[in-house]
Amino acid sequence: MSIKVLIVDDSAVVRQVLSQVFDKASGIEVMDVANDPYMAMDKMKLHWPDVIVLDVEMPRMDGITFLKQLMATRPTPVVICSSLTQKGTDISMQALAAGAVEVIAKPAAGVKGFLEESANQLVMAVRGAAAARMSRMRVMPSASGAAPGAGSSSAAALETRPKLSADAILSAPTGSNVFATTERIVAIGTSTGGTQALEAILTELPRTCPGLAIVQHMPEKFTRSFADRLNSLSQIEVKEASNGDRILPGRALIAPGGKHMMVKRSGAYYQVEVVDGPLVSRHKPSVDVLFRSAAKFAGRNALGVIMTGMGDDGAKGLKEMHDCGAKTIAQDEESCVVFGMPKEAIKLGAADEVMSLDMIAKAICRQG
């Protein structure tokens, strides 16, 4: 069965290019297009889509209002395709909090060329959205406001390119050779559904929790908005990571979109190194890179947590953490929006424990 897609965008060029991209993809069918939510609702009375690709700034009704109506009446996987303007990014963050599954950042100019170059990224986003279990999406009551920020998208995750491992950034750990210390850290990796899952966890953590390093698959600079938003809602400090930031108790560092983030040991404390480089497991930032670095430099002093997301990024890295003596957790299928990344980690024997989202915050606190 093909994934039926409805495209809702006020730009005729965007509708045309997206239609061409999806029509060429195996297993995806453009059911219809609409230039605003009112037209979309008329079309949905006849046929309901599997996935909606939605702009956020449109006449008559904006995308966020339409999304909220959808989530309140018939939750449907939505991929936000937003411009890179300040306002567009802010609304996109609100949309993620309100239940959107994925976000694709499009530039304010040169949209046609960007969408054509990003064809595989768009196709993967739609496939990931179609796999989402909307009953597991958590629509946050704080979705009405988002912190300021600006976004842009990195290069598309091209399926035709070789799928690189963490070897492209960092050599593999040689074994459990890290001595146990009193300094504990937590490494978390997530993707589709992760924005809501991370909000659920971080807002439950006290200031005494161990320091966290987090990779959430998200476009460049959207991570700053995301971090700022979580910082405004949480007791702990949440920030987009900068190179050299220390991993401290009561602080969560989120890898910036378009960069890899690694844990490094510096004397008596841990810090992060933010670097450029190729896509790893077809992502940048990559969970595999973060987890490998935690295995290599923190070992048994770390806790690794892999959560909801499509694909297998992080599965091998979590196994490396496990083999180096770290405690490891995979989110259970019941609470995942997409049981992809945790499933692959469990298959590898990488997870010491499999637990629901509601239990992960408590497990993190025990790590301290």
Short mmCIF file of all heavy atoms in Angstrom, two decimals, residues 182 184-186 188 200-212 235-236 249-250 303 305 327 329 353 355 357-368:
data_model
loop_
_atom_site.label_atom_id
_atom_site.label_comp_id
_atom_site.label_asym_id
_atom_site.label_seq_id
_atom_site.Cartn_x
_atom_site.Cartn_y
_atom_site.Cartn_z
N THR A 182 33.42 9.44 40.46
CA THR A 182 32.16 9.96 41.02
C THR A 182 31.43 10.85 40.02
O THR A 182 30.27 11.20 40.24
CB THR A 182 32.43 10.77 42.30
OG1 THR A 182 33.36 11.82 41.99
CG2 THR A 182 33.02 9.87 43.38
N ARG A 184 29.39 11.38 36.88
CA ARG A 184 28.53 10.59 36.01
C ARG A 184 27.90 11.47 34.95
O ARG A 184 27.56 12.63 35.20
CB ARG A 184 27.41 9.92 36.82
CG ARG A 184 27.91 8.95 37.89
CD ARG A 184 28.40 7.66 37.26
NE ARG A 184 28.62 6.63 38.26
CZ ARG A 184 29.77 6.40 38.88
NH1 ARG A 184 30.82 7.16 38.60
NH2 ARG A 184 29.90 5.43 39.76
N ILE A 185 27.73 10.93 33.76
CA ILE A 185 27.08 11.67 32.68
C ILE A 185 26.04 10.77 32.01
O ILE A 185 26.06 9.55 32.16
CB ILE A 185 28.08 12.19 31.63
CG1 ILE A 185 28.77 11.02 30.91
CG2 ILE A 185 29.11 13.14 32.26
CD1 ILE A 185 29.54 11.44 29.68
N VAL A 186 25.16 11.40 31.24
CA VAL A 186 24.11 10.69 30.51
C VAL A 186 24.17 11.13 29.05
O VAL A 186 24.24 12.33 28.75
CB VAL A 186 22.71 11.01 31.09
CG1 VAL A 186 21.63 10.29 30.30
CG2 VAL A 186 22.65 10.63 32.57
N ILE A 188 22.00 10.81 25.49
CA ILE A 188 20.67 10.47 24.98
C ILE A 188 20.64 10.69 23.48
O ILE A 188 21.13 11.71 22.98
CB ILE A 188 19.58 11.34 25.65
CG1 ILE A 188 19.54 11.10 27.16
CG2 ILE A 188 18.21 11.05 25.03
CD1 ILE A 188 18.52 11.97 27.89
N ALA A 200 9.18 15.75 27.83
CA ALA A 200 8.59 15.00 28.94
C ALA A 200 9.64 14.63 29.98
O ALA A 200 9.39 14.67 31.19
CB ALA A 200 7.90 13.75 28.41
N ILE A 201 10.85 14.28 29.52
CA ILE A 201 11.91 13.86 30.44
C ILE A 201 12.58 15.06 31.12
O ILE A 201 12.70 15.12 32.35
CB ILE A 201 12.96 13.03 29.69
CG1 ILE A 201 12.37 11.67 29.32
CG2 ILE A 201 14.22 12.84 30.53
CD1 ILE A 201 13.26 10.85 28.41
N LEU A 202 13.03 16.03 30.32
CA LEU A 202 13.84 17.11 30.88
C LEU A 202 13.05 17.97 31.86
O LEU A 202 13.62 18.50 32.82
CB LEU A 202 14.42 17.98 29.76
CG LEU A 202 15.39 17.27 28.79
CD1 LEU A 202 16.04 18.27 27.85
CD2 LEU A 202 16.45 16.48 29.55
N THR A 203 11.76 18.12 31.62
CA THR A 203 10.96 18.93 32.54
C THR A 203 10.71 18.22 33.86
O THR A 203 10.21 18.84 34.82
CB THR A 203 9.60 19.32 31.91
OG1 THR A 203 8.93 18.13 31.45
CG2 THR A 203 9.81 20.27 30.73
N GLU A 204 11.05 16.94 33.95
CA GLU A 204 10.90 16.19 35.20
C GLU A 204 12.19 16.13 36.01
O GLU A 204 12.18 15.69 37.16
CB GLU A 204 10.44 14.76 34.89
CG GLU A 204 9.01 14.66 34.40
CD GLU A 204 8.00 15.07 35.45
OE1 GLU A 204 8.15 14.65 36.61
OE2 GLU A 204 7.08 15.85 35.13
N LEU A 205 13.31 16.53 35.42
CA LEU A 205 14.60 16.36 36.08
C LEU A 205 14.88 17.48 37.08
O LEU A 205 14.67 18.66 36.78
CB LEU A 205 15.72 16.31 35.05
CG LEU A 205 15.73 15.10 34.10
CD1 LEU A 205 16.87 15.23 33.11
CD2 LEU A 205 15.85 13.80 34.89
N PRO A 206 15.42 17.14 38.27
CA PRO A 206 15.82 18.16 39.24
C PRO A 206 17.20 18.71 38.91
O PRO A 206 17.94 18.11 38.12
CB PRO A 206 15.84 17.38 40.55
CG PRO A 206 16.24 16.00 40.14
CD PRO A 206 15.59 15.78 38.79
N ARG A 207 17.56 19.80 39.55
CA ARG A 207 18.87 20.42 39.29
C ARG A 207 20.03 19.56 39.76
O ARG A 207 21.18 19.81 39.40
CB ARG A 207 18.94 21.78 39.99
CG ARG A 207 17.99 22.81 39.39
CD ARG A 207 18.13 24.16 40.06
NE ARG A 207 17.17 25.10 39.49
CZ ARG A 207 16.45 25.94 40.20
NH1 ARG A 207 16.59 25.97 41.51
NH2 ARG A 207 15.61 26.76 39.62
N THR A 208 19.74 18.55 40.55
CA THR A 208 20.79 17.66 41.05
C THR A 208 21.07 16.50 40.11
O THR A 208 21.91 15.65 40.41
CB THR A 208 20.38 17.09 42.42
OG1 THR A 208 19.09 16.48 42.31
CG2 THR A 208 20.33 18.20 43.47
N CYS A 209 20.38 16.43 38.97
CA CYS A 209 20.57 15.30 38.05
C CYS A 209 21.95 15.38 37.41
O CYS A 209 22.57 16.45 37.34
CB CYS A 209 19.49 15.31 36.96
SG CYS A 209 19.69 16.59 35.71
N PRO A 210 22.48 14.25 36.93
CA PRO A 210 23.78 14.28 36.25
C PRO A 210 23.70 15.06 34.94
O PRO A 210 22.62 15.25 34.37
CB PRO A 210 24.07 12.79 36.00
CG PRO A 210 22.74 12.12 36.03
CD PRO A 210 21.91 12.89 37.00
N GLY A 211 24.85 15.51 34.47
CA GLY A 211 24.90 16.25 33.22
C GLY A 211 24.53 15.38 32.03
O GLY A 211 24.83 14.18 32.01
N LEU A 212 23.88 16.00 31.04
CA LEU A 212 23.39 15.25 29.88
C LEU A 212 23.95 15.82 28.58
O LEU A 212 24.06 17.05 28.42
CB LEU A 212 21.86 15.31 29.81
CG LEU A 212 21.07 14.76 31.00
CD1 LEU A 212 20.65 15.88 31.93
CD2 LEU A 212 19.83 14.02 30.53
N GLN A 235 13.60 22.87 35.16
CA GLN A 235 14.38 23.31 36.31
C GLN A 235 15.86 23.35 35.97
O GLN A 235 16.60 24.20 36.45
CB GLN A 235 14.17 22.36 37.50
CG GLN A 235 12.77 22.32 38.07
CD GLN A 235 12.70 21.36 39.25
OE1 GLN A 235 13.47 21.48 40.21
NE2 GLN A 235 11.79 20.40 39.19
N ILE A 236 16.30 22.38 35.14
CA ILE A 236 17.71 22.32 34.77
C ILE A 236 18.01 23.32 33.65
O ILE A 236 17.10 23.85 33.00
CB ILE A 236 18.10 20.90 34.33
CG1 ILE A 236 17.39 20.51 33.03
CG2 ILE A 236 17.81 19.89 35.43
CD1 ILE A 236 17.89 19.20 32.42
N PRO A 249 26.37 18.72 36.33
CA PRO A 249 25.10 18.36 36.95
C PRO A 249 24.07 19.46 36.76
O PRO A 249 24.39 20.66 36.88
CB PRO A 249 25.46 18.17 38.43
CG PRO A 249 26.91 17.81 38.42
CD PRO A 249 27.50 18.59 37.28
N GLY A 250 22.84 19.07 36.43
CA GLY A 250 21.80 20.06 36.23
C GLY A 250 21.87 20.80 34.91
O GLY A 250 21.21 21.81 34.73
N LEU A 303 25.67 6.73 31.31
CA LEU A 303 24.40 6.05 31.03
C LEU A 303 24.01 6.41 29.60
O LEU A 303 24.01 7.60 29.24
CB LEU A 303 23.32 6.51 32.01
CG LEU A 303 21.87 6.11 31.68
CD1 LEU A 303 21.68 4.60 31.80
CD2 LEU A 303 20.88 6.84 32.59
N VAL A 305 21.01 6.30 26.65
CA VAL A 305 19.56 6.14 26.49
C VAL A 305 19.21 6.37 25.03
O VAL A 305 19.50 7.45 24.47
CB VAL A 305 18.78 7.15 27.36
CG1 VAL A 305 17.28 6.91 27.21
CG2 VAL A 305 19.20 7.06 28.83
N LYS A 327 25.90 1.72 31.66
CA LYS A 327 24.51 1.27 31.75
C LYS A 327 23.78 1.77 30.52
O LYS A 327 24.03 2.89 30.06
CB LYS A 327 23.85 1.80 33.01
CG LYS A 327 24.47 1.28 34.30
CD LYS A 327 23.78 1.91 35.51
CE LYS A 327 24.42 1.43 36.80
NZ LYS A 327 23.80 2.09 37.99
N ILE A 329 19.90 1.97 28.27
CA ILE A 329 18.44 1.89 28.30
C ILE A 329 17.90 2.12 26.89
O ILE A 329 18.37 3.01 26.18
CB ILE A 329 17.84 2.94 29.25
CG1 ILE A 329 18.24 2.65 30.71
CG2 ILE A 329 16.32 3.01 29.13
CD1 ILE A 329 17.88 3.78 31.66
N GLU A 353 18.35 -2.43 29.89
CA GLU A 353 16.96 -2.34 30.30
C GLU A 353 16.12 -1.74 29.17
O GLU A 353 16.61 -0.90 28.41
CB GLU A 353 16.79 -1.47 31.54
CG GLU A 353 17.44 -1.99 32.81
CD GLU A 353 17.15 -1.10 33.99
OE1 GLU A 353 16.05 -1.22 34.57
OE2 GLU A 353 18.02 -0.29 34.34
N MET A 355 12.51 0.25 28.93
CA MET A 355 11.54 0.86 29.83
C MET A 355 10.71 1.92 29.14
O MET A 355 11.08 2.44 28.08
CB MET A 355 12.23 1.45 31.06
CG MET A 355 13.16 2.60 30.80
SD MET A 355 13.89 3.27 32.34
CE MET A 355 14.81 1.87 32.97
N LEU A 357 8.77 5.56 28.57
CA LEU A 357 9.21 6.94 28.65
C LEU A 357 9.01 7.51 30.05
O LEU A 357 9.86 8.26 30.55
CB LEU A 357 8.43 7.78 27.62
CG LEU A 357 8.76 9.27 27.56
CD1 LEU A 357 10.19 9.50 27.11
CD2 LEU A 357 7.79 9.98 26.60
N ASP A 358 7.93 7.14 30.70
CA ASP A 358 7.62 7.67 32.03
C ASP A 358 8.65 7.29 33.08
O ASP A 358 8.72 7.93 34.13
CB ASP A 358 6.24 7.19 32.48
CG ASP A 358 5.11 7.75 31.62
OD1 ASP A 358 5.32 8.81 31.00
OD2 ASP A 358 4.04 7.12 31.56
N MET A 359 9.42 6.24 32.83
CA MET A 359 10.39 5.77 33.82
C MET A 359 11.80 6.28 33.59
O MET A 359 12.67 6.15 34.45
CB MET A 359 10.42 4.23 33.82
CG MET A 359 9.08 3.58 34.17
SD MET A 359 8.50 4.06 35.81
CE MET A 359 9.78 3.34 36.84
N ILE A 360 12.04 6.87 32.41
CA ILE A 360 13.43 7.22 32.05
C ILE A 360 13.98 8.33 32.91
O ILE A 360 15.16 8.31 33.31
CB ILE A 360 13.52 7.54 30.55
CG1 ILE A 360 13.26 6.26 29.73
CG2 ILE A 360 14.88 8.14 30.19
CD1 ILE A 360 13.22 6.48 28.24
N ALA A 361 13.20 9.34 33.24
CA ALA A 361 13.70 10.44 34.08
C ALA A 361 14.18 9.91 35.43
O ALA A 361 15.22 10.33 35.95
CB ALA A 361 12.61 11.50 34.27
N LYS A 362 13.43 8.97 36.03
CA LYS A 362 13.84 8.38 37.31
C LYS A 362 15.15 7.61 37.16
O LYS A 362 16.02 7.64 38.04
CB LYS A 362 12.73 7.46 37.83
CG LYS A 362 11.45 8.19 38.21
CD LYS A 362 10.37 7.21 38.64
CE LYS A 362 9.08 7.95 38.97
NZ LYS A 362 7.98 7.02 39.35
N ALA A 363 15.30 6.91 36.03
CA ALA A 363 16.53 6.16 35.80
C ALA A 363 17.72 7.11 35.67
O ALA A 363 18.84 6.80 36.13
CB ALA A 363 16.40 5.30 34.55
N ILE A 364 17.51 8.25 35.02
CA ILE A 364 18.59 9.24 34.89
C ILE A 364 19.00 9.77 36.25
O ILE A 364 20.18 9.93 36.56
CB ILE A 364 18.13 10.39 33.97
CG1 ILE A 364 18.05 9.89 32.52
CG2 ILE A 364 19.08 11.59 34.08
CD1 ILE A 364 17.41 10.87 31.55
N CYS A 365 18.02 10.04 37.11
CA CYS A 365 18.34 10.53 38.45
C CYS A 365 19.12 9.50 39.26
O CYS A 365 20.02 9.85 40.02
CB CYS A 365 17.06 10.90 39.18
SG CYS A 365 16.23 12.38 38.53
N ARG A 366 18.82 8.23 39.07
CA ARG A 366 19.57 7.17 39.77
C ARG A 366 21.02 7.11 39.31
O ARG A 366 21.90 6.70 40.07
CB ARG A 366 18.91 5.81 39.54
CG ARG A 366 17.57 5.64 40.26
CD ARG A 366 17.18 4.17 40.33
NE ARG A 366 16.97 3.58 39.02
CZ ARG A 366 15.81 3.56 38.37
NH1 ARG A 366 14.74 4.14 38.91
NH2 ARG A 366 15.70 2.99 37.19
N GLN A 367 21.27 7.53 38.09
CA GLN A 367 22.64 7.52 37.58
C GLN A 367 23.53 8.46 38.37
O GLN A 367 24.72 8.26 38.49
CB GLN A 367 22.65 7.93 36.09
CG GLN A 367 24.01 8.18 35.47
CD GLN A 367 24.83 6.90 35.28
OE1 GLN A 367 24.37 5.81 35.60
NE2 GLN A 367 26.02 7.05 34.75
N GLY A 368 22.95 9.53 38.92
CA GLY A 368 23.74 10.49 39.70
C GLY A 368 24.15 9.93 41.04
O GLY A 368 25.00 10.49 41.72
#
